Amino acid sequence: METLINLPRTKRGKNTLNNILSAAVQLFYEKGYHNTSINEITSLAGVAAGTFYVYFDGKYNLYKYLLLKCSHMIRKTLSKAIKDCKTRKEAERVGLKAWLEFVLQNQYMYHIIWESLYIDRELFNEYYISFAKSYMKGLSVAEKSGELIDIDLEVLAYTLMGATNFLGLRWGLFDENTTHAEVDRVVDEFMKILDRGIFVSKELQEQEAINDSKSIEKERSTMSTRFRFQMQLDEYESEEE
């Protein structure tokens, strides 16, 4: 990362650099990388045009630095959130919630990350391949401890990454006013998928039918002890309603 940027040594220099980074993030978010000029960045940052080159060789290195910075921030946030989790399932729940809350506070990151596809395809590939490898390490630990079914960890990693990515888009970017309660609801719904899958098995349907039958018999038994006389709908009347 240091080869991309000349790091300042003074407090004033750090403040200047932070202003340049903040201006770049805002303009890339609002206008995109290709439609943003260095002059616009320095103007918004409140510094002379030449000051930009004290820290960066050009706009590409600035962008690459921001992309790496985003990657670091995301991984740090998620690692901190799940560090005390006892199981992988708990880590997935806590991690998704942390991700959604992070996106709500840092919506610009989707623009920074996804625009790499049109700036430098290799950056885009490296970003997600690196993230997937890191994800697979955590899944591998869960596999060895017997938490996971027999499944290809790379397929699983990209599946989970894809799900969280698009959940972040929907409830972090499309809807900027998502509440904490809504975040919790989305996390709960996602965990249903991990816990149960999405397809209903024949065995499960049969078991649910048995449970329903037992529930009805129990209710009838309760009615017989509660009332001296009983009046109930016929089956066809119930179906019509």
Side-chain angles (χ1 to χ4, degrees):
M1 186 177 288
E2 289 185 2
T3 58
L4 299 174
I5 183 174
N6 297 314
L7 292 172
R9 299 180 182 277
T10 66
K11 184 177 180 180
R12 181 180 180 183
K14 290 179 181 178
N15 289 336
T16 299
L17 176 58
N18 287 338
N19 288 340
I20 291 173
L21 296 175
S22 297
V25 164
Q26 180 174 326
L27 290 168
F28 290 164
Y29 176 78
E30 295 174 349
K31 302 179 60 176
Y33 173 85
H34 291 294
N35 292 325
T36 297
S37 69
I38 291 176
N39 284 339
E40 288 176 311
I41 293 172
T42 55
S43 177
L44 182 59
V47 299
T51 304
F52 178 92
Y53 296 98
V54 172
Y55 305 102
F56 298 101
D57 291 340
K59 188 171 69 168
Y60 176 80
N61 276 0
L62 164 63
Y63 170 78
K64 191 172 181 180
Y65 176 79
L66 289 174
L67 180 63
L68 292 174
K69 190 77 171 173
C70 288
S71 176
H72 175 73
M73 289 173 64
I74 292 169
R75 295 187 191 207
K76 183 178 179 180
T77 296
L78 297 181
S79 294
K80 183 178 179 181
I82 69 173
K83 66 181 179 65
D84 294 325
C85 292
K86 305 301 182 185
T87 66
R88 189 66 209 182
K89 183 187 291 186
E90 182 185 3
E92 291 298 329
R93 170 181 283 280
V94 173
L96 175 57
K97 181 176 181 178
W99 167 245
L100 293 177
E101 291 175 343
F102 179 81
V103 172
L104 283 167
Q105 297 298 318
N106 302 277
Q107 295 166 335
Y108 67 88
M109 288 205 176
Y110 270 104
H111 294 256
I112 298 294
I113 295 168
W114 283 29
E115 199 167 15
S116 63
L117 179 62
Y118 307 103
I119 297 172
D120 185 339
R121 177 66 177 268
E122 283 303 310
L123 289 180
F124 184 81
N125 292 353
E126 288 172 10
Y127 177 87
Y128 281 107
I129 291 172
S130 174
F131 203 100
K133 287 180 179 179
S134 178
Y135 210 135
M136 288 170 63
K137 288 181 181 179
L139 294 175
S140 179
V141 173
E143 180 186 48
K144 290 176 182 177
S145 66
E147 291 184 68
L148 301 179
I149 61 174
D150 182 18
I151 191 170
D152 186 306
L153 294 186
E154 184 175 15
V155 172
L156 179 59
Y158 277 96
T159 299
L160 293 173
M161 286 166 55
T164 55
N165 207 339
F166 279 92
L167 289 174
L169 275 177
R170 168 59 182 85
W171 280 278
L173 199 63
F174 298 169
D175 186 353
E176 299 180 3
N177 299 311
T178 298
T179 63
H180 290 296
E182 183 68 357
V183 166
D184 288 338
R185 187 192 70 80
V186 172
V187 172
D188 286 341
E189 291 300 308
F190 178 71
M191 293 308 297
K192 286 181 184 178
I193 298 173
L194 298 190
D195 284 334
R196 310 173 193 173
I198 62 173
F199 299 107
V200 178
S201 67
K202 184 177 180 181
E203 292 77 8
L204 180 59
Q205 288 177 318
E206 292 173 347
Q207 185 60 50
E208 288 179 343
I210 292 172
N211 291 340
D212 287 343
S213 178
K214 288 181 178 179
S215 177
I216 292 172
E217 288 301 320
K218 183 178 180 181
E219 184 177 346
R220 286 176 177 171
S221 176
T222 300
M223 287 178 63
S224 66
T225 60
R226 185 188 307 170
F227 305 113
R228 181 179 178 183
F229 305 107
Q230 296 183 42
M231 176 64 71
Q232 298 182 28
L233 293 173
D234 292 331
E235 290 296 328
Y236 76 90
E237 290 181 300
S238 178
E239 289 175 0
E240 285 180 356
E241 285 193 1

